[in-house]
Amino acid sequence: DSGSFALSYTGGGFNKKGNLFLGGGVDVTSAIFDQEEDVLQVGLYGNGKYFFSTKRFRPFVSLSLGASLNRQVVYWGPEDIGIFEIVGLYVKPELGLLVNIQNNLGVYASCDLRTTLTDYTFICVNLGVTF
């Protein structure tokens, strides 16, 4: 009776000295808890990512900081609904591995912690494609 999804986009940026990437992006995370509560978190952030290797297999650590809007809806009964909105600091530390396939094409796997430090914290496992 509970589930969640997350959608992330890290936009343009630049590499600094080959191992450091600086950029920014947006995260949208949604969760439903026991059909009695749902949470939507939207974070807009700047990102720093450090790669430990410039070879084919590139483990990395990342930290994103920015602002977040959280909207929480609680269903207490058929006609009794509470809606709460919170704006706060967005913090997302991340550990992962990027595998370069060819040129700029690659795949990655990572685990991150998305939090506003004042409300819900989401632990996310990510799989994706880079280009």
Side-chain angles (χ1 to χ4, degrees):
D1 291 319
S2 65
S4 65
F5 77 89
L7 177 65
S8 297
Y9 171 73
T10 301
F14 60 92
N15 284 328
K16 180 114 172 135
K17 297 185 181 177
N19 288 358
L20 181 63
F21 173 82
L22 301 175
V26 63
D27 275 337
V28 178
T29 305
S30 177
I32 299 171
F33 301 101
D34 299 325
Q35 297 180 355
E36 295 175 0
E37 179 179 11
D38 63 69
V39 176
L40 176 66
Q41 180 185 78
V42 179
L44 182 62
Y45 60 85
N47 174 269
K49 187 176 291 184
Y50 182 80
F51 293 95
F52 292 99
S53 170
T54 57
K55 308 285 185 200
R56 183 179 180 110
F57 295 94
R58 302 178 70 188
F60 66 86
V61 295
S62 174
L63 179 62
S64 300
L65 296 172
S68 178
L69 171 64
N70 295 311
R71 185 170 192 262
Q72 177 185 12
V73 179
V74 180
Y75 305 95
W76 290 297
E79 296 180 17
D80 200 9
I81 299 174
I83 299 175
F84 308 96
E85 291 184 349
I86 300 168
V87 175
L89 175 67
Y90 179 79
V91 179
K92 183 178 93 169
E94 179 179 21
L95 293 172
L97 175 67
L98 171 65
V99 180
N100 288 328
I101 297 173
Q102 181 179 349
N103 296 331
N104 290 331
L105 182 64
V107 295
Y108 74 93
S110 69
C111 183
D112 67 58
L113 184 70
R114 299 173 193 194
T115 182
T116 60
L117 301 179
T118 58
D119 202 24
Y120 286 94
T121 299
F122 298 97
I123 297 174
C124 299
V125 175
N126 311 296
L127 301 172
V129 177
T130 62
F131 51 92

